[in-house]
PDB file of all heavy atoms in Angstrom:
ATOM      1  N   TYR A  32      87.121  98.193  92.161  1.00  0.00           N
ATOM      2  CA  TYR A  32      87.814  98.086  90.872  1.00  0.00           C
ATOM      3  C   TYR A  32      88.321  99.431  90.392  1.00  0.00           C
ATOM      4  O   TYR A  32      87.838  99.998  89.393  1.00  0.00           O
ATOM      5  CB  TYR A  32      86.910  97.397  89.856  1.00  0.00           C
ATOM      6  CG  TYR A  32      86.552  96.015  90.340  1.00  0.00           C
ATOM      7  CD1 TYR A  32      85.266  95.714  90.780  1.00  0.00           C
ATOM      8  CD2 TYR A  32      87.528  95.022  90.427  1.00  0.00           C
ATOM      9  CE1 TYR A  32      84.966  94.449  91.279  1.00  0.00           C
ATOM     10  CE2 TYR A  32      87.235  93.770  90.919  1.00  0.00           C
ATOM     11  CZ  TYR A  32      85.949  93.490  91.338  1.00  0.00           C
ATOM     12  OH  TYR A  32      85.663  92.249  91.828  1.00  0.00           O
ATOM     13  N   GLN A  38     101.830 109.852  86.157  1.00  0.00           N
ATOM     14  CA  GLN A  38     102.386 110.164  84.846  1.00  0.00           C
ATOM     15  C   GLN A  38     103.293 111.391  84.926  1.00  0.00           C
ATOM     16  O   GLN A  38     102.902 112.420  85.468  1.00  0.00           O
ATOM     17  CB  GLN A  38     101.292 110.413  83.808  1.00  0.00           C
ATOM     18  CG  GLN A  38     101.843 110.561  82.394  1.00  0.00           C
ATOM     19  CD  GLN A  38     100.773 110.730  81.347  1.00  0.00           C
ATOM     20  OE1 GLN A  38      99.740 111.340  81.592  1.00  0.00           O
ATOM     21  NE2 GLN A  38     101.009 110.197  80.145  1.00  0.00           N
ATOM     22  N   ALA A  43     104.674 107.378  79.637  1.00  0.00           N
ATOM     23  CA  ALA A  43     103.412 106.659  79.771  1.00  0.00           C
ATOM     24  C   ALA A  43     102.978 106.653  81.231  1.00  0.00           C
ATOM     25  O   ALA A  43     103.813 106.750  82.143  1.00  0.00           O
ATOM     26  CB  ALA A  43     103.574 105.223  79.280  1.00  0.00           C
ATOM     27  N   TYR A  86      96.205 109.865  87.967  1.00  0.00           N
ATOM     28  CA  TYR A  86      94.896 109.532  87.392  1.00  0.00           C
ATOM     29  C   TYR A  86      94.300 108.319  88.101  1.00  0.00           C
ATOM     30  O   TYR A  86      95.021 107.347  88.397  1.00  0.00           O
ATOM     31  CB  TYR A  86      95.015 109.185  85.909  1.00  0.00           C
ATOM     32  CG  TYR A  86      95.485 110.311  85.013  1.00  0.00           C
ATOM     33  CD1 TYR A  86      96.833 110.494  84.733  1.00  0.00           C
ATOM     34  CD2 TYR A  86      94.558 111.176  84.432  1.00  0.00           C
ATOM     35  CE1 TYR A  86      97.257 111.516  83.897  1.00  0.00           C
ATOM     36  CE2 TYR A  86      94.980 112.200  83.587  1.00  0.00           C
ATOM     37  CZ  TYR A  86      96.337 112.360  83.330  1.00  0.00           C
ATOM     38  OH  TYR A  86      96.753 113.379  82.502  1.00  0.00           O
ATOM     39  N   GLN A  88      91.296 105.285  87.574  1.00  0.00           N
ATOM     40  CA  GLN A  88      90.606 104.585  86.490  1.00  0.00           C
ATOM     41  C   GLN A  88      89.726 103.508  87.083  1.00  0.00           C
ATOM     42  O   GLN A  88      90.138 102.794  88.004  1.00  0.00           O
ATOM     43  CB  GLN A  88      91.602 103.935  85.530  1.00  0.00           C
ATOM     44  CG  GLN A  88      90.942 103.215  84.344  1.00  0.00           C
ATOM     45  CD  GLN A  88      91.844 102.216  83.669  1.00  0.00           C
ATOM     46  OE1 GLN A  88      92.803 101.713  84.264  1.00  0.00           O
ATOM     47  NE2 GLN A  88      91.576 101.929  82.410  1.00  0.00           N
ATOM     48  N   THR A  90      87.887  99.935  86.511  1.00  0.00           N
ATOM     49  CA  THR A  90      87.916  98.753  85.647  1.00  0.00           C
ATOM     50  C   THR A  90      86.820  97.780  86.058  1.00  0.00           C
ATOM     51  O   THR A  90      86.956  96.564  85.925  1.00  0.00           O
ATOM     52  CB  THR A  90      89.295  98.078  85.688  1.00  0.00           C
ATOM     53  OG1 THR A  90      89.607  97.704  87.036  1.00  0.00           O
ATOM     54  CG2 THR A  90      90.365  99.005  85.146  1.00  0.00           C
ATOM     55  N   HIS A  91      85.720  98.343  86.559  1.00  0.00           N
ATOM     56  CA  HIS A  91      84.563  97.516  86.931  1.00  0.00           C
ATOM     57  C   HIS A  91      83.816  97.063  85.684  1.00  0.00           C
ATOM     58  O   HIS A  91      83.395  95.902  85.568  1.00  0.00           O
ATOM     59  CB  HIS A  91      83.641  98.321  87.843  1.00  0.00           C
ATOM     60  CG  HIS A  91      82.383  97.621  88.209  1.00  0.00           C
ATOM     61  ND1 HIS A  91      81.229  97.693  87.443  1.00  0.00           N
ATOM     62  CD2 HIS A  91      82.084  96.825  89.263  1.00  0.00           C
ATOM     63  CE1 HIS A  91      80.293  96.975  88.007  1.00  0.00           C
ATOM     64  NE2 HIS A  91      80.771  96.438  89.111  1.00  0.00           N
TER      65      HIS A  91
ATOM     66  N   GLN B  41      95.619 109.264  74.685  1.00  0.00           N
ATOM     67  CA  GLN B  41      95.660 110.439  75.540  1.00  0.00           C
ATOM     68  C   GLN B  41      95.619 111.673  74.659  1.00  0.00           C
ATOM     69  O   GLN B  41      96.507 111.895  73.831  1.00  0.00           O
ATOM     70  CB  GLN B  41      96.913 110.446  76.409  1.00  0.00           C
ATOM     71  CG  GLN B  41      96.934 111.584  77.417  1.00  0.00           C
ATOM     72  CD  GLN B  41      97.982 111.396  78.492  1.00  0.00           C
ATOM     73  OE1 GLN B  41      99.042 110.847  78.252  1.00  0.00           O
ATOM     74  NE2 GLN B  41      97.673 111.834  79.710  1.00  0.00           N
ATOM     75  N   LYS B  45      95.371 116.098  77.799  1.00  0.00           N
ATOM     76  CA  LYS B  45      95.814 115.102  78.781  1.00  0.00           C
ATOM     77  C   LYS B  45      94.763 114.085  79.213  1.00  0.00           C
ATOM     78  O   LYS B  45      95.066 113.207  80.003  1.00  0.00           O
ATOM     79  CB  LYS B  45      96.452 115.754  80.028  1.00  0.00           C
ATOM     80  CG  LYS B  45      97.611 116.667  79.701  1.00  0.00           C
ATOM     81  CD  LYS B  45      98.731 115.905  79.038  1.00  0.00           C
ATOM     82  CE  LYS B  45      99.933 116.788  78.772  1.00  0.00           C
ATOM     83  NZ  LYS B  45     100.980 116.071  78.012  1.00  0.00           N
ATOM     84  N   TRP B 107      87.344  89.377  88.642  1.00  0.00           N
ATOM     85  CA  TRP B 107      86.583  90.498  88.080  1.00  0.00           C
ATOM     86  C   TRP B 107      87.503  91.701  88.013  1.00  0.00           C
ATOM     87  O   TRP B 107      88.289  91.941  88.912  1.00  0.00           O
ATOM     88  CB  TRP B 107      85.369  90.817  88.953  1.00  0.00           C
ATOM     89  CG  TRP B 107      84.429  91.786  88.292  1.00  0.00           C
ATOM     90  CD1 TRP B 107      84.383  93.123  88.452  1.00  0.00           C
ATOM     91  CD2 TRP B 107      83.416  91.468  87.332  1.00  0.00           C
ATOM     92  NE1 TRP B 107      83.410  93.673  87.670  1.00  0.00           N
ATOM     93  CE2 TRP B 107      82.796  92.686  86.968  1.00  0.00           C
ATOM     94  CE3 TRP B 107      82.972  90.273  86.748  1.00  0.00           C
ATOM     95  CZ2 TRP B 107      81.749  92.741  86.045  1.00  0.00           C
ATOM     96  CZ3 TRP B 107      81.925  90.321  85.833  1.00  0.00           C
ATOM     97  CH2 TRP B 107      81.332  91.551  85.486  1.00  0.00           C
ATOM     98  N   ILE B 109      90.217  94.340  85.747  1.00  0.00           N
ATOM     99  CA  ILE B 109      91.580  94.182  85.247  1.00  0.00           C
ATOM    100  C   ILE B 109      92.393  95.398  85.634  1.00  0.00           C
ATOM    101  O   ILE B 109      91.842  96.412  86.079  1.00  0.00           O
ATOM    102  CB  ILE B 109      91.614  93.997  83.715  1.00  0.00           C
ATOM    103  CG1 ILE B 109      91.050  95.234  82.990  1.00  0.00           C
ATOM    104  CG2 ILE B 109      90.847  92.768  83.279  1.00  0.00           C
ATOM    105  CD1 ILE B 109      91.167  95.156  81.488  1.00  0.00           C
ATOM    106  N   PHE B 111      96.066  97.676  84.284  1.00  0.00           N
ATOM    107  CA  PHE B 111      96.988  97.856  83.171  1.00  0.00           C
ATOM    108  C   PHE B 111      98.385  98.063  83.717  1.00  0.00           C
ATOM    109  O   PHE B 111      98.737  99.159  84.166  1.00  0.00           O
ATOM    110  CB  PHE B 111      96.510  99.025  82.296  1.00  0.00           C
ATOM    111  CG  PHE B 111      95.135  98.775  81.752  1.00  0.00           C
ATOM    112  CD1 PHE B 111      94.026  99.359  82.324  1.00  0.00           C
ATOM    113  CD2 PHE B 111      94.955  97.904  80.693  1.00  0.00           C
ATOM    114  CE1 PHE B 111      92.752  99.101  81.848  1.00  0.00           C
ATOM    115  CE2 PHE B 111      93.688  97.637  80.195  1.00  0.00           C
ATOM    116  CZ  PHE B 111      92.584  98.238  80.774  1.00  0.00           C
ATOM    117  N   GLY B 115     103.360 100.687  76.559  1.00  0.00           N
ATOM    118  CA  GLY B 115     104.370 101.155  75.640  1.00  0.00           C
ATOM    119  C   GLY B 115     104.673 102.621  75.906  1.00  0.00           C
ATOM    120  O   GLY B 115     104.049 103.256  76.759  1.00  0.00           O
TER     121      GLY B 115
END
Side-chain angles (χ1 to χ4, degrees):
Chain A
Y32 300 109
Q38 188 177 34
Y86 296 91
Q88 182 199 23
T90 58
H91 176 272
Chain B
Q41 186 166 33
K45 304 298 183 185
W107 190 265
I109 62 175
F111 300 101

